[in-house]
Amino acid sequence: DGVPADPAPPPFGLPDAKPPFGGPSPQDPAAHLRYVFYKYGMDDKDIVALSGAHTIGRAFKDRSGTVEEGYLGGTAYTKRGSPSLEKSETAGGRSWTKNWLKFDNSYFTDMAKNDPDCITFPTDAVLMTDPGFKPHFDLFASDQAAFFAAYAQSHKKLSELGSKFEPAAGIVGV
């Protein structure tokens, strides 16, 4: 699934949302995602699965500067009074999905709809077209269970980076 023999060196961190991207290809979102995640031992499936976490949450102007909406603004899905806000006490920002408080596969099913009240950064959109990402994107759009299984595996891999387990086999018999 495309893990390079010679992964990029640190610094580690989150991917950039918009160009110019860090790494060797400042205008290529696919190359940037691989530059960031391959050094963690992730592959294309991991990148697409972990990107699906954008099903929940929002971007804010004052946090990332990548959207116009802050805490006092919002979209049809994030402003005060929106049914999508549900019980959240923090309004504003711009979400990737309409129901941004529900973890499901709507990041994959809805992205191509180009909803003007949702964000799709270049690093999101490339998942629908890049030959290495697209098969996983399409699978997760059509099969929520496959997305959940891949996400769980990729999130575990990400969460355990740098962890040392003693005993190595884990704790058993508890």
Side-chain angles (χ1 to χ4, degrees):
D1 234 342
V3 177
D6 187 23
F12 297 106
L14 294 172
D16 298 319
K18 296 181 176 180
F21 300 113
S25 303
Q27 298 301 317
D28 183 345
H32 176 63
L33 287 171
R34 290 181 175 110
Y35 173 77
V36 171
F37 284 97
Y38 281 4
K39 64 182 115 179
Y40 295 124
M42 303 287 176
D43 60 25
D44 287 355
K45 183 178 181 180
D46 292 314
I47 293 169
V48 178
L50 290 170
S51 294
H54 286 150
T55 294
I56 55 175
R58 301 164 285 169
F60 288 86
K61 181 178 184 171
D62 54 328
R63 292 186 190 170
S64 67
T66 56
V67 298
E68 291 301 314
E69 297 80 15
Y71 288 100
L72 300 178
T75 69
Y77 310 133
T78 63
K79 66 184 175 187
R80 291 222 179 275
S82 167
S84 299
L85 200 58
E86 296 184 14
K87 295 180 182 178
S88 175
E89 295 184 19
T90 307
R94 182 172 286 265
S95 59
W96 282 263
T97 62
K98 178 179 179 178
N99 296 309
W100 53 272
L101 290 171
K102 181 180 179 186
F103 190 71
D104 59 17
N105 68 333
S106 62
Y107 172 82
F108 304 105
T109 60
D110 295 353
M111 191 184 305
K113 296 176 183 175
N114 295 315
D115 185 331
D117 286 305
C118 292
I119 36 175
T120 301
F121 293 127
T123 48
D124 299 306
V126 74
L127 302 177
M128 293 188 291
T129 60
D130 178 87
F133 296 143
K134 184 176 176 22
H136 307 294
F137 186 95
D138 291 345
L139 173 64
F140 300 157
S142 66
D143 187 342
Q144 182 168 276
F147 164 55
F148 285 171
Y151 182 83
Q153 182 180 13
S154 299
H155 190 110
K156 180 180 185 293
K157 186 188 287 188
L158 183 65
S159 297
E160 292 178 352
L161 284 174
S163 298
K164 296 190 187 320
F165 296 95
E166 293 182 15
I171 299 172
V172 293
V174 178

